[in-house]
Amino acid sequence: MYILKPEMVQELKQTTSKVYIESPNFLHDSEFIATVGDICTIKIIKEIRVPDLIIIDYKKKRNIKLTEKQENIIKNIKCKTIEISNEAGTISKELYKEIKEAITNSKKTKIIVDGEEDLATLPVIKHCQVGAKVIYGMPDKGMVVVDVNQQTKERANKLLKRMLVK
């Protein structure tokens, strides 16, 4: 299990990737799209396509339940579905393992997290192929689209290495 160190919280809020309000058109050409977070997942489903990997917790801004309409958009996606517990500020061994498995197999996968999914972005970037797009929500700002490349993979690896591992 990876555990976020308190001194890393602010650093993780920083991004060099562009923040979008609307889904950028270049996503239409993406071979692999992974979304982490409910609102950005719903936006990508509506505006682009069903992502190859979806990681959600049926909440927005940590503790506000989705509306029934929002929830149904995600629930109606027919794909391999996995339910996992993951505490806030952590990446459980099970979550990490299922992310890695979902990226290496060719089945669309939805991981439903009981707890919090925020940090899942790091192992997703780590395990995705170069050229994949990883999208996560930034509350009250929009969605961040990470173009997976050597630099973004390096940053994700360095952050994971600095976290506490149990």
Side-chain angles (χ1 to χ4, degrees), residues 51-54 79-82 102 105 107-111:
D52 301 281
L53 174 59
I54 295 169
C79 62
K80 179 179 178 182
T81 302
I82 299 155
N105 78 32
K107 295 179 187 155
K108 287 192 186 286
T109 304
K110 176 174 27 176
I111 299 174

Side-chain angles (χ1 to χ4, degrees), residues 88-142:
T90 70
I91 304 166
S92 68
K93 285 180 184 173
E94 187 183 14
L95 178 57
Y96 188 95
K97 178 178 111 9
E98 292 298 344
I99 288 169
K100 190 174 179 182
E101 169 68 24
I103 291 169
T104 55
N105 78 32
S106 58
K107 295 179 187 155
K108 287 192 186 286
T109 304
K110 176 174 27 176
I111 299 174
I112 302 167
V113 176
D114 178 17
E116 190 179 291
E117 88 285 40
D118 293 9
L119 294 175
T121 304
L122 294 173
V124 172
I125 294 169
K126 175 182 176 148
H127 292 291
C128 273
Q129 294 286 329
V130 168
K133 304 296 185 256
V134 179
I135 301 149
Y136 64 92
M138 190 169 269
D140 300 320
K141 290 188 173 75

Side-chain angles (χ1 to χ4, degrees), residues 4-69:
L4 184 64
K5 293 178 182 175
E7 63 269 19
M8 294 175 69
V9 172
Q10 279 308 115
E11 184 178 357
L12 279 170
K13 290 181 181 180
Q14 309 299 315
T15 182
T16 56
S17 300
K18 189 169 178 189
V19 181
Y20 295 87
I21 303 299
E22 300 300 322
S23 303
N25 283 330
F26 65 79
L27 290 176
H28 287 287
D29 300 326
S30 301
E31 280 187 39
F32 189 94
I33 295 175
T35 56
V36 180
D38 299 70
I39 300 303
C40 69
T41 296
I42 291 166
K43 215 166 183 32
I44 296 302
I45 290 168
K46 286 175 155 183
E47 298 173 2
I48 305 294
R49 67 173 172 86
V50 173
D52 301 281
L53 174 59
I54 295 169
I55 304 174
I56 50 97
D57 61 5
Y58 290 119
K59 292 181 285 198
K60 53 187 173 182
K61 295 185 183 181
R62 299 218 194 273
N63 58 5
I64 301 168
K65 295 246 334 127
L66 296 179
T67 65
E68 190 176 337
K69 185 179 177 186

